[in-house]
């Protein structure tokens, strides 16, 4: 690969630890415009809340199958507000000629073209990639589940997007990773390389000393009472797997068992317990796992499930979305779906969203 082609790619990778590390949740004056958590005094995730005073929430459609879906990466669609293209003033945040940079598309540009999309016959808008502050333009490696991606717009812009969609008799679906975040953890001595899966686990540390996830914790203490999820294979039968050499696992919110290749045919227990590697960004393949793994939260623990439900209900109420697409859906434990799905349906139903 010619050096001139590689330089922009390497530069964008070097900028990852610098670009999006704004102060994370809980609420602060600094992040108020992009924070969907409106509890200014909350000390834990399950105390977060959101509201739209005086707003009438859109009801669910009777049948989603009647509603053609328009799937769009907003960053790649239309730039309606160039002022947010370089909001951190680095000079390296957007460039329409580079595939690894943001291109500047945003909510303002999308709303300006909603009538065109309606005229195509589309009735549901699926925003590809999470709406949260992320390492990369596509949004599939978020740094926080309450802070919105300011390159796309602030909370008021996302609310306007939902309102404009609903005003046309259309519906808004968001793409959520739910249990995966960015690329900020190192396992053992593996700094920037593929980490072989090991059921005994690895001690973990942060890649960058000036960043920590706000709502989830890393721990290298051993929990002898740690539980593992039931695993069901692709054939519909229970999948058995070996447990650690000594009972328990690291007492961390994160699954610290090493990596799996998200698009492989590895055993299902590796896919559920492993950290997703090479799953986002074409450069992950080009550079052979040297750069990107996707930090993976344990989706089967009661404490994490309570946080997931709070955070996902939060964005329904803060913006008025109508549906959620769960990214990497086949790599969750069945315990997750058994508990998460009815809980999120319940909080949506309180807003009149019964489907």
């Amino acid at each position: 690969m010619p050096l001139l082609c590689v330089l922009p790619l390497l530069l964008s990778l070097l900028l990852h630890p610098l670009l999006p590390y704004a102060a994370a949740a809980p609420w602060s004056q600094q992040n108020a415009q992009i924070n969907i958590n409106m509890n200014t005094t909350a000390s834990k995730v399950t105390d977060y809340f959101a509201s739209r005073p005086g707003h009438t929430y859109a009801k669910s459609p009777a049948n989603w199958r009647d509603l053609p879906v328009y799937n769009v990466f907003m960053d790649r669609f239309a730039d309606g507000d160039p002022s947010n293209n370089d909001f951190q003033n680095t000079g390296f945040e957007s460039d329409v000629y580079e595939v690894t940079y943001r291109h500047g598309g945003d909510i303002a540009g999308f709303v300006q073209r909603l009538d065109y999309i309606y005229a195509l016959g589309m009735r549901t808008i699926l925003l590809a990639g999470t709406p949260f502050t992320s390492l990369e333009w596509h949004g599939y490696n978020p740094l926080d589940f309450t802070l919105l991606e300011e390159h796309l717009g602030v909370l008021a812009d996302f609310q306007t997007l939902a309102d404009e969609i609903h005003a046309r008799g259309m519906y808004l679906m968001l793409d959520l990773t739910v249990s995966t975040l960015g690329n900020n953890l190192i396992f053992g001595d593996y700094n920037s390389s593929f980490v072989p899966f090991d059921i005994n686990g690895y001690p973990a540390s942060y890649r960058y000393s000036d960043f920590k996830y706000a709502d989830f914790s890393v721990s290298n203490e051993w929990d002898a009472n740690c539980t593992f999820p039931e695993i069901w294979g692709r054939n519909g039968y229970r999948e058995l797997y070996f447990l650690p050499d000594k009972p328990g696992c690291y007492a961390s919110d994160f699954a610290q068992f090493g990596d799996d290749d998200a698009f492989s045919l590895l055993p299902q227990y590796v896919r559920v317990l492993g950290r997703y590697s090479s799953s986002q960004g074409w450069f992950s393949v080009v550079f052979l796992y040297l750069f990107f793994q996707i930090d993976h939260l344990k989706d089967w623990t009661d404490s994490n499930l309570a946080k997931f439900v709070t955070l996902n209900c939060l964005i329904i109420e803060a913006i008025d979305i109508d549906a959620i697409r769960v990214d990497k859906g086949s790599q969750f434990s069945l315990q997750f779906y058994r508990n998460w799905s009815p809980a999120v349906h319940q909080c949506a139903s309180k807003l009149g969203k019964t489907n």
Side-chain angles (χ1 to χ4, degrees), residues 46-194:
T46 50
D47 288 337
Y48 293 173
F49 68 76
S51 65
R52 293 191 63 180
H55 176 71
T56 300
Y57 286 88
K59 307 299 183 184
S60 294
N63 187 353
W64 283 99
R65 293 177 179 84
D66 292 337
L67 304 169
V69 178
Y70 191 85
N71 189 6
V72 59
F73 276 111
M74 191 173 291
D75 176 78
R76 296 316 204 227
F77 190 76
D79 187 356
D81 181 10
S83 68
N84 61 25
N85 292 353
D86 192 43
F87 80 90
Q88 292 189 357
N89 300 314
T90 65
F92 298 102
E93 294 168 50
S94 66
D95 187 337
V96 296
Y97 299 106
E98 297 296 344
V99 295
T100 59
Y101 282 46
R102 291 178 171 86
H103 284 191
D106 51 30
I107 290 172
F110 189 78
V111 169
Q112 291 167 9
R113 292 158 177 81
L114 258 180
D115 289 335
Y116 157 73
I117 296 171
Y118 183 90
L120 291 175
M122 300 297 116
R123 294 299 180 264
T124 299
I125 304 299
L126 168 56
L127 299 187
T130 75
F132 303 115
T133 299
S134 297
L135 281 172
E136 294 183 88
W137 67 268
H138 52 64
Y140 284 114
N141 37 28
L143 298 171
D144 190 277
F145 289 141
T146 65
L147 301 185
L148 297 170
E149 177 52 71
E150 197 169 352
H151 289 98
L152 302 180
V154 298
L155 174 58
D157 296 319
F158 279 89
Q159 292 171 336
T160 296
L161 172 67
D163 294 346
E164 291 288 343
I165 287 172
H166 293 144
R168 291 165 173 79
M170 303 167 76
Y171 298 90
L172 175 59
M173 181 185 302
L174 289 189
D175 210 350
L176 301 184
T177 60
V178 182
S179 72
T180 58
L181 290 156
N183 175 33
N184 293 297
L185 299 183
I186 297 171
F187 289 169
D189 296 326
Y190 295 87
N191 189 350
S192 294
S193 59
F194 185 84

Side-chain angles (χ1 to χ4, degrees), residues 239-304:
E239 186 173 287
L240 302 179
Y241 57 99
F242 293 104
L243 294 177
D245 295 338
K246 61 178 181 179
C249 68
Y250 286 108
S252 177
D253 287 337
F254 291 88
Q256 298 174 192
F257 303 103
D259 298 339
D260 81 273
D261 186 338
F263 301 117
S264 72
L265 294 177
L266 293 170
Q268 186 64 13
Y269 76 89
V270 177
R271 290 164 54 82
V272 170
L273 299 177
R275 181 176 61 174
Y276 311 134
S277 180
S278 79
S279 59
Q280 309 299 346
W282 63 268
F283 50 84
S284 301
V285 177
V286 172
F287 285 89
L288 300 177
Y289 303 104
L290 289 178
F291 293 108
F292 265 78
Q293 294 87 23
I294 308 298
D295 301 329
H296 179 201
L297 293 155
K298 296 173 181 173
D299 68 42
W300 59 91
T301 66
D302 291 340
S303 59
N304 275 355

